[in-house]
């Protein structure tokens, strides 16, 4: 093809590409608008879009105007340079230089160059809309910083915006100055002499230098507030050197920068760059001397020889502000006696605690759930959640999981467009089991199981379909001519039709076209199964769904499913966080955090509601002002759902890590880290792992009734004994209260690893574990739970048995440690009885267990029954003596039968 014909073709193709991207962007914008509108959050969508777009446009226009204005000043210099260059060419007409590069062409080059640079500059403002909106909608903390007297709100809402303005302004002026300087340097060879001989060029650069000095002065003013985030000394935040040296240096540099601004202006008037250049050298020298050398000398000579006394007042402030930032100042401290033991009557009085001891850990239970309750290969339990319910009139702790649809697990031949988007649209039901009940086979006993959901409790689930959940899922279209798969029933399938109001109705061909372009799926246009009554459900996984509405919040790692009013909901804890709290030591990317928001997602309709759980949080107040109507009072949450809010694990773990250090409020103790705590470790399986927070139901010392709470123990640094435990209460009016129970420092309380070592060293337990490991099975040591009961501690660790060819762990034994007693029995009840009475009531093992018992196991059991019978006889306990003899007889009969078979 001739070259002159290619260009029109390339132009047409380029135009087509541009139009396609514009059209696809417009389609995505429109479908997002429909999605937000279907949820009632179109105002949120508009506020975010208009703020971000307005910020980009404003920043781009201002940058474009400033750059073009400065380039325009170079035009005369450029034109004169070309005139000088081409006037010496004999082969050119006198005005050829003008035709080659006239003012119009030069203006066009400047306009295009400024526009491209402005587009790149505006891209820097992506996701900065939050900074602007928080600046416009602040909320006071009512607490002033200790040095400048400004409310903490200044640092969280105002300072980030000022720093953004400064960084953008200074960067824009530096960029423009460099471009202008390059223009002058590039034109010099054409003109025959340097720009320093041009008064106009010198004046231009001098005034730009004056602007840079002025902006630098503003930067120094802002920098004094950044001392609150200094990491120079023993604490996070300003110490002695920062206040007495760095702050002084910043103020000197601020004044000097203002003076140099005037000096540079004077140089501009005199068409000279020398004052600005001399001033720049002076500023660098003073910055080095006052900003680096003097603080270093002061630190070495004044602070380090007597560091504690110099830093004491600053340590006190850092402790106070860090405790405030993480709500550690609200933790109640109480004493817990060490070395106390329970009596048998205490067990009866605290049955509610013992009937809710969690014997199932989520890792092995997830495998067991998968084997027993996923039913079909396309169902999946994303994770196991812990919660509490009133079950048949009793307060029970349970573990549950939503049975979601995982389309990726469909067979390859079933991965059709119709199956993925029209037929397989939802998961179905849940599995739920109490935390402490086990069948004779070592498997969980279910409160909810099977499809459709079956239960022997008073809990109800009338709407078990899960269209919106935790599993990543593509868009689906409901109410089509294709039947929706509901659940399997024997060799057949049951089909259904969506009855909810979730999603966006298609209505007309234009919406259908918009969805096809937005999803890049042409089959949406061609399918004959889709009607105007069909509805499109998209952004169905709750992570994408919730974060699209509220991208300014942080979220807990674990949403959890709740059964309430016969329906399924997902609850997700959200946090307001900032990295600008003064004097507070950061935790990763932030140094202030609150669990200000609870998110509820309807698993059937996809409705998303946000509830303010901490209405006094200033960040939460700010977002409420930015988005009126987005957040509701917590009291408006449905009562059945409200009963299931719980203290979030991520926040609790952050607070625990901080409290391990910041419980020390005495500056000297803090400085020397004399009483630093750490989170302990435990054995899980065969690996030593960090103890994670865990939920329990127990009765706190002095409390009238049992409560659902989150707890974690502490050990001293480099020690294994336990020093304290922290709890977060989750029920009713006590929700959110944090309590730390401290043990007497002069007495020993066993920590998790010390108890693990005692278990490992127990001859009977280690022998049993060894026997199991040698029989083609793997023993999994579960999480060690420390259960506070009354004024004592009980340690409970489950043992799971998993066959090498199976992925279904079975709960086979429960180890219980209390005082100096360590026992391992088939159930918690038996272990408790053994600890407090010295015996276990005879119980004929199930047939399954008898078939699996070996000769060494039976011999060991017989020996144990005989010894316990002797102990009962010595105590005069004839009933116990007779029971153990009967037990011994049964074991011997089983041993005889096994020997005869062999």
């Amino acid at each position: 093809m001739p070259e002159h014909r290619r260009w029109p073709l390339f132009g047409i193709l380029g135009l087509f590409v541009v139009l396609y991207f514009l059209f696809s962007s417009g389609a995505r914008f429109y479908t997002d608008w429909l999605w937000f509108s279907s949820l009632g959050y179109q105002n949120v969508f508009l506020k975010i879009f208009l703020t971000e777009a307005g910020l980009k446009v404003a920043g781009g226009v201002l940058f474009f105007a400033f750059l073009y204005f400065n380039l325009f000043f170079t035009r005369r210099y450029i034109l004169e340079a070309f005139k000088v260059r081409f006037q010496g060419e004999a082969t050119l007409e006198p005005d050829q230089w003008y035709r080659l590069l006239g003012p119009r062409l030069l203006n066009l080059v400047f306009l295009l160059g400024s526009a491209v640079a402005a587009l790149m500059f505006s891209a820097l403002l992506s996701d900065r809309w939050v900074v602007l909106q928080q600046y416009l909608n602040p909320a006071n903390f009512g607490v002033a910083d200790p040095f400048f007297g400004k409310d903490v709100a200044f640092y969280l809402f105002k300072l980030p915006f000022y720093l953004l303005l400064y960084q953008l302004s200074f960067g824009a002026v530096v960029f423009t100055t460099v471009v202008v300087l390059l223009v002058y340097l590039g034109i010099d060879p054409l003109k025959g002499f340097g720009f320093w001989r041009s008064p106009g060029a010198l004046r231009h650069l001098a005034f730009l230098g004056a602007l840079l000095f002025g902006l630098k002065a503003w930067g120094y003013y802002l920098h004094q507030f950044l001392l609150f985030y200094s990491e120079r000394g023993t604490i996070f935040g300003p110490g002695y050197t920062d206040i007495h040296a760095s702050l002084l240096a910043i103020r000197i540099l601020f004044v000097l920068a203002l003076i140099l601004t005037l000096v540079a202006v004077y140089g501009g008037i005199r068409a000279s760059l020398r004052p600005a250049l001399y001033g720049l050298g002076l500023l660098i020298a003073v910055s080095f001397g006052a900003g680096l050398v003097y603080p270093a000398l002061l630190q070495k000579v004044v602070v380090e020889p007597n560091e504690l006394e110099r830093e004491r007042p600053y340590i006190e402030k850092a402790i106070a502000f860090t405790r405030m930032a993480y709500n550690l100042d609200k933790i109640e401290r109480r004493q817990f006696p060490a070395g106390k033991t329970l009596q048998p009557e205490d067990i009866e009085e605290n049955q509610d605690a013992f009937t809710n001891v969690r014997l199932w850990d989520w890792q092995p239970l997830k495998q067991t759930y998968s084997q027993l309750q996923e039913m079909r290969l396309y169902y999946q339990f994303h994770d196991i959640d812990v919660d509490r319910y009133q079950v048949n009139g009793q307060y029970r702790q349970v573990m549950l999981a939503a049975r979601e649809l995982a389309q990726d697990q469909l067979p390859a031949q079933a991965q059709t467009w119709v199956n993925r988007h029209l037929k397989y649209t939802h998961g179905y039901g849940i599995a739920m089991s109490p935390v402490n009940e086990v069948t004779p086979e070592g498997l969980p006993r279910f409160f909810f199981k099977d499809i459709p959901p079956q239960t022997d409790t008073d809990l109800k689930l009338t709407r078990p379909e899960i269209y919106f959940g935790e599993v990543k899922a593509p868009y689906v279209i409901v109410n089509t001519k294709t039947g929706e798969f509901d659940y399997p029933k024997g060799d057949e399938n049951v089909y259904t039709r969506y009855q909810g109001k979730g999603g966006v109705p298609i209505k007309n061909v234009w919406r259908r076209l918009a969805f096809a372009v937005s999803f890049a799926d042409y089959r949406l246009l061609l399918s004959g199964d889709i009607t105007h009554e069909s509805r499109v459900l998209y952004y169905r996984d709750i992570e994408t769904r919730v974060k699209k509405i509220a991208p300014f919040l942080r979220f807990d790692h674990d949403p959890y499913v709740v059964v309430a009013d016969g329906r399924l909901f997902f609850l997700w804890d959200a946090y307001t966080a900032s990295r600008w709290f003064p004097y507070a030591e950061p935790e990763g990317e932030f140094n202030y955090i609150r669990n200000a928001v609870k998110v509820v997602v309807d698993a059937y309709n996809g409705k998303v509601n946000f509830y303010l759980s901490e209405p006094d949080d200033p960040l939460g107040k700010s977002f409420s002002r930015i988005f009126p109507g987005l957040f509701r009072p917590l009291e408006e949450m449905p009562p059945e759902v409200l009963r299931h809010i719980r203290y979030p694990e991520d926040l609790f773990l952050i607070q625990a890590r901080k409290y391990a250090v910041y419980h020390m409020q005495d500056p000297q103790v803090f400085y020397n880290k004399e009483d630093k705590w750490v989170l302990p470790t435990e054995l899980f399986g065969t690996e030593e792992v960090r103890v994670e927070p865990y939920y329990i139901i127990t009765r706190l010392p002095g409390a009238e009734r049992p409560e659902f709470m989150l707890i974690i123990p502490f050990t001293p640094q480099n020690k294994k004994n336990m020093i304290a435990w922290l709890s977060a209460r989750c029920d009713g009016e006590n929700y959110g209260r944090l309590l730390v129970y401290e043990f007497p420092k002069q007495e020993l309380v066993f920590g998790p690893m010390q108890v693990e070592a005692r278990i490992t060293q127990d001859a009977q337990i280690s022998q049993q574990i060894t026997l199991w490991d040698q029989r083609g099975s793997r023993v999994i040591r579960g999480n060690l739970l420390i259960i506070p009961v009354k004024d004592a501690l009980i340690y409970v660790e489950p043992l799971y048995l998993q066959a090498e060819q199976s992925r279904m762990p079975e709960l086979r034994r429960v180890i219980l440690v209390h005082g100096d007693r360590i026992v391992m029995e088939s159930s918690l009840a038996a272990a408790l009885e053994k600890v407090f009475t010295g015996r276990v009531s005879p119980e004929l093992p199930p047939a399954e267990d008898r078939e699996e018992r070996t000769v060494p196991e039976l011999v060991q059991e017989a020996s144990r029954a005989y010894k316990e019978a002797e102990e009962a006889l010595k105590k005069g306990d004839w009933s116990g003596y007779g029971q153990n003899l009967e037990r011994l007889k049964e074991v011997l009969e089983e041993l005889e039968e096994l020997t005869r078979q062999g």
Side-chain angles (χ1 to χ4, degrees):
M1 180 183 293
E3 186 172 350
H4 68 278
R5 294 184 181 180
R6 293 179 183 174
W7 291 109
L9 178 59
F10 291 152
I12 293 172
L13 290 175
L15 180 62
F16 177 79
V17 171
V18 170
L19 290 176
Y20 173 78
F21 280 110
L22 289 175
F23 185 58
S24 60
S25 298
R28 282 192 296 272
F29 178 88
Y30 178 58
T31 54
D32 279 352
W33 164 260
L34 292 174
W35 184 81
F36 274 90
S37 299
S38 70
L39 294 170
Y41 294 130
Q42 60 269 36
N43 291 334
V44 175
F45 176 77
L46 284 177
K47 178 66 71 73
I48 294 175
F49 173 76
L50 293 177
T51 304
E52 185 167 5
L55 192 59
K56 287 183 176 181
V57 169
V61 168
L62 290 174
F63 180 82
F64 170 83
F66 182 74
L67 180 58
Y68 177 75
F69 180 76
N70 279 275
L71 288 175
F72 187 81
F73 269 113
T74 67
R75 186 180 69 159
R76 182 177 178 182
Y77 186 83
I78 295 172
L79 294 175
E80 289 178 353
F82 273 87
K83 183 177 180 180
V84 171
R85 173 68 178 85
F86 290 116
Q87 277 181 342
E89 296 289 342
T91 58
L92 295 176
E93 295 292 334
D95 61 346
Q96 275 188 315
W97 65 270
Y98 188 86
R99 292 198 301 272
L100 287 173
L101 190 61
R104 291 184 180 178
L105 180 58
L106 196 57
N107 280 341
L108 180 60
V109 172
F110 287 166
L111 285 170
L112 290 176
S114 299
V116 171
L119 285 174
M120 293 188 292
F121 181 83
S122 65
L124 299 174
L125 294 168
S126 296
D127 300 326
R128 299 300 183 96
W129 65 268
V130 178
V131 177
L132 173 60
Q133 284 292 350
Q134 287 186 320
Y135 171 78
L136 298 174
N137 298 274
N140 285 339
F141 278 75
V143 177
D145 78 76
F147 295 116
F148 305 107
K150 292 185 177 292
D151 190 275
V152 170
F154 168 81
Y155 297 91
L156 272 71
F157 301 115
K158 301 291 185 180
L159 184 59
F161 181 70
Y162 293 148
L163 288 171
L164 176 63
L165 281 184
Y166 166 71
Q167 292 163 357
L168 293 174
S169 302
F170 192 79
V173 176
V174 168
F175 179 82
T176 301
T177 302
V178 171
V179 170
V180 168
L181 181 60
L182 291 175
V183 169
Y184 286 135
L185 290 174
I187 296 301
D188 282 350
L190 297 177
K191 200 163 185 179
F193 58 85
F195 70 86
W196 53 86
R197 294 176 58 184
S198 170
L202 293 175
R203 190 174 291 113
H204 186 188
L205 291 171
F207 283 132
L208 284 173
L211 186 56
L212 285 173
F213 281 127
L215 287 172
K216 194 62 181 174
W218 186 31
Y220 285 129
Y221 171 77
L222 296 176
H223 188 69
Q224 64 181 337
F225 303 115
L226 297 182
L227 289 177
F228 279 114
Y229 316 101
S230 169
E231 300 182 42
R232 180 198 301 271
T234 59
I235 55 169
F236 182 85
Y240 184 92
T241 301
D242 292 303
I243 297 302
H244 292 84
S246 297
L247 182 59
L248 176 62
I250 290 170
R251 290 175 173 173
I252 290 173
L253 291 169
F254 167 72
V255 174
L256 179 59
L258 287 178
I259 294 173
L260 293 179
T261 301
L262 299 177
V263 170
V265 170
Y266 172 77
I269 296 172
R270 298 290 300 272
S272 174
L273 270 181
R274 288 184 179 181
L277 293 175
Y278 291 155
L280 178 61
L282 178 61
L283 187 65
I284 293 173
V286 174
S287 297
F288 179 76
L292 295 177
V293 176
Y294 175 58
L297 287 175
L298 187 70
Q299 180 73 22
K300 287 288 185 183
V301 176
V302 177
V303 176
E304 290 186 3
N306 196 16
E307 190 171 42
L308 176 58
E309 290 306 312
R310 297 291 186 186
E311 300 287 5
R312 180 183 292 272
Y314 308 102
I315 294 175
E316 291 175 349
K317 295 178 178 64
I319 293 173
F321 274 79
T322 299
R323 288 171 60 88
M324 192 187 312
Y326 295 97
N327 246 2
L328 306 184
D329 54 337
K330 303 293 179 62
I331 296 178
E332 304 173 39
R333 301 180 68 168
R334 298 182 182 178
Q335 295 299 312
F336 197 91
K340 298 288 185 179
T341 56
L342 297 175
Q343 301 301 317
E345 56 269 21
D346 295 325
I347 304 300
E348 294 298 325
E349 294 175 2
N350 292 274
Q351 275 298 317
D352 40 30
F354 290 107
T355 56
N356 284 292
V357 173
R358 178 170 62 81
L359 301 180
W360 286 102
D361 297 327
W362 71 267
Q363 299 98 320
L365 187 61
K366 183 179 179 182
Q367 297 182 54
T368 303
Y369 268 28
S370 296
Q371 294 294 318
L372 298 178
Q373 285 294 307
E374 283 186 351
M375 303 300 188
R376 294 291 188 273
L377 53 86
Y378 42 77
Y379 285 129
Q380 175 183 331
F381 292 114
H382 184 266
D383 64 3
I384 305 293
D385 299 317
V386 181
D387 205 349
R388 71 287 198 197
Y389 288 80
Q390 286 288 342
V391 181
N392 297 332
Q394 293 185 324
Y395 194 47
R396 300 298 301 271
Q397 187 176 0
V398 302
M399 306 188 82
L400 70 163
R403 187 183 292 106
E404 300 191 51
L405 187 72
Q407 293 187 349
D408 292 340
Q409 297 181 17
L410 286 169
Q413 65 272 18
Q415 293 280 351
T416 65
W417 185 85
V418 171
N419 281 348
R420 288 180 59 84
H421 298 288
L422 305 184
K423 185 175 180 179
Y424 290 93
T425 58
H426 59 276
Y428 203 89
I430 61 168
M432 177 191 289
S433 58
V435 296
N436 65 325
E437 294 190 27
V438 187
T439 67
E441 296 81 15
L443 302 175
R445 187 180 83 80
F446 287 101
F447 283 166
F448 271 107
K449 63 178 181 178
D450 300 340
I451 301 176
Q454 305 294 319
T455 180
D456 57 359
T457 71
D458 56 358
L459 298 175
K460 303 298 181 185
L461 182 57
T462 56
R463 181 57 78 184
E465 299 90 344
I466 303 172
Y467 285 86
F468 304 88
E470 295 184 71
V471 174
K472 299 290 184 182
Y475 76 89
V476 295
I477 305 173
V478 296
N479 297 343
T480 64
K481 296 177 182 178
T482 299
E484 288 181 53
F485 168 75
D486 200 22
Y487 60 87
K489 187 177 182 180
D491 295 332
E492 299 179 353
N493 291 330
V494 176
Y495 292 86
T496 187
R497 187 173 178 85
Y498 184 66
Q499 303 295 321
K501 299 297 183 183
V504 177
I506 289 183
K507 286 188 177 181
N508 54 56
V509 69
W510 300 111
R511 282 194 179 185
R512 193 165 172 177
L513 175 62
F515 283 121
V517 174
S518 179
F519 299 154
D521 193 342
Y522 68 90
R523 285 163 290 197
L524 266 166
L525 283 174
L526 303 179
S527 174
D529 293 320
I530 301 173
T531 69
H532 291 339
E533 286 74 34
S534 300
R535 308 178 73 90
V536 185
L537 278 56
Y538 50 113
Y539 302 139
R540 295 196 299 134
D541 66 280
I542 61 177
E543 180 178 0
T544 301
R545 194 171 188 83
V546 174
K547 288 183 178 180
K548 195 166 186 67
I549 301 170
F552 45 86
L553 297 175
R554 290 176 176 266
F555 295 90
D556 197 80
H557 80 283
D558 183 28
Y560 57 102
V561 67
V562 168
V563 182
D565 298 320
R567 303 173 67 89
L568 294 177
F569 299 89
F570 285 92
L571 265 66
W572 201 6
D573 288 285
Y575 308 113
T576 53
S578 174
R579 65 185 183 94
W580 294 105
F581 201 90
Y583 244 142
E585 184 183 57
E587 177 72 19
E589 298 178 353
F590 54 85
N591 68 353
Y592 171 90
I593 187 169
R594 292 291 186 272
N595 176 215
V597 180
K598 303 283 187 181
V599 186
V600 179
V601 182
D602 189 312
Y604 188 73
N605 286 318
K607 182 65 177 175
V608 182
N609 289 320
F610 297 82
Y611 298 92
L612 272 180
S613 54
E614 289 197 34
D616 295 331
D617 172 42
L619 280 176
K621 290 180 180 179
S622 175
F623 286 127
S624 296
R625 294 170 185 173
I626 296 170
F627 302 106
L630 175 61
F631 301 104
R632 303 180 179 188
L634 190 63
E635 295 76 19
E636 293 185 10
M637 185 182 291
E640 281 296 317
V641 179
L642 183 61
R643 292 189 184 99
H644 294 279
I645 63 172
R646 65 187 194 186
Y647 203 84
E649 293 180 59
D650 288 356
L651 175 61
F652 185 72
L653 189 57
I654 290 168
Q655 291 175 312
R657 286 198 293 259
K658 288 301 178 189
Y659 193 77
V661 177
Y662 284 91
H663 72 277
M664 300 179 287
Q665 299 184 62
D666 181 87
Q668 181 171 344
V669 175
F670 183 92
Y671 175 80
N672 293 314
K673 299 295 186 289
E674 298 174 17
D675 192 26
K676 183 179 179 181
W677 301 346
V678 295
L679 300 182
T681 57
E682 62 171 336
L683 290 180
F684 185 83
T686 58
E687 298 181 359
E688 184 174 350
V689 298
R690 186 71 58 190
V691 172
E692 297 293 333
Y694 51 91
Y695 293 99
I696 63 169
I697 289 180
T698 191
R699 187 179 307 182
L700 290 173
E704 296 181 357
R705 58 181 182 272
E707 299 178 52
F708 185 68
M709 65 187 67
L710 185 61
I711 73 170
I712 195 168
F714 293 106
T715 58
Q717 187 177 29
N718 300 324
K719 301 290 184 181
K720 298 297 184 181
N721 60 291
M722 193 160 65
I723 193 68
W725 57 276
L726 178 67
S727 70
R729 304 170 79 172
C730 299
D731 287 346
E733 61 185 13
N734 289 321
Y735 174 83
R737 290 182 60 188
L738 298 176
L739 303 174
V740 63
Y741 287 88
E742 300 181 19
F743 300 106
K745 292 183 172 60
Q746 66 276 11
E747 297 187 39
L748 173 65
V749 177
F750 288 115
M753 281 305 295
Q754 291 176 322
V755 174
E756 297 280 19
R758 292 179 63 191
I759 293 173
T760 302
Q761 293 165 7
D762 184 273
Q764 178 184 344
I765 295 175
S766 61
Q767 182 181 5
Q768 182 65 69
I769 292 175
T770 301
L771 286 172
W772 275 329
D773 279 334
Q774 292 174 351
R775 295 172 55 198
S777 299
R778 182 169 71 94
V779 176
I780 302 174
R781 292 176 63 165
N783 292 130
L784 177 70
L785 300 185
I786 304 171
I787 313 295
V789 179
K790 199 175 178 181
D791 54 0
L793 297 176
I794 287 184
Y795 304 84
V796 178
E797 182 172 282
L799 285 185
Y800 307 96
L801 197 62
Q802 181 174 350
E804 290 182 356
Q805 68 276 13
S806 170
R807 295 184 58 192
M808 188 166 63
E810 301 171 358
L811 178 58
R812 282 303 179 185
R813 293 292 185 270
V814 177
I815 300 173
L816 192 146
V817 180
H818 181 58
D820 58 354
R821 299 294 304 275
I822 303 177
V823 300
M824 181 177 70
E825 295 296 334
S826 58
S827 68
L828 179 62
L832 286 169
E833 185 180 9
K834 182 68 175 291
V835 165
F836 291 103
T837 67
R839 64 177 186 272
V840 178
S841 298
E843 179 180 354
L844 186 64
E848 294 84 356
D849 285 356
R850 293 202 305 271
E851 291 173 0
E852 292 179 358
R853 284 149 68 111
T854 62
V855 171
E857 287 177 325
L858 291 170
V859 170
Q860 188 179 26
E861 179 69 15
S863 175
R864 184 162 59 247
Y866 176 76
K867 290 179 181 178
E868 289 175 3
E870 281 190 323
E871 291 177 4
L873 183 61
K874 290 177 183 178
K875 296 177 182 178
D877 182 6
W878 296 102
S879 174
Y881 178 74
Q883 290 175 348
N884 281 290
L885 284 181
E886 183 66 24
R887 179 173 153 214
L888 177 61
K889 177 184 176 184
E890 292 170 354
V891 173
L892 291 174
E893 288 175 352
E894 185 178 349
L895 182 61
E896 181 182 1
E897 180 181 354
L898 183 63
T899 306
R900 186 166 53 250
Q901 291 175 355

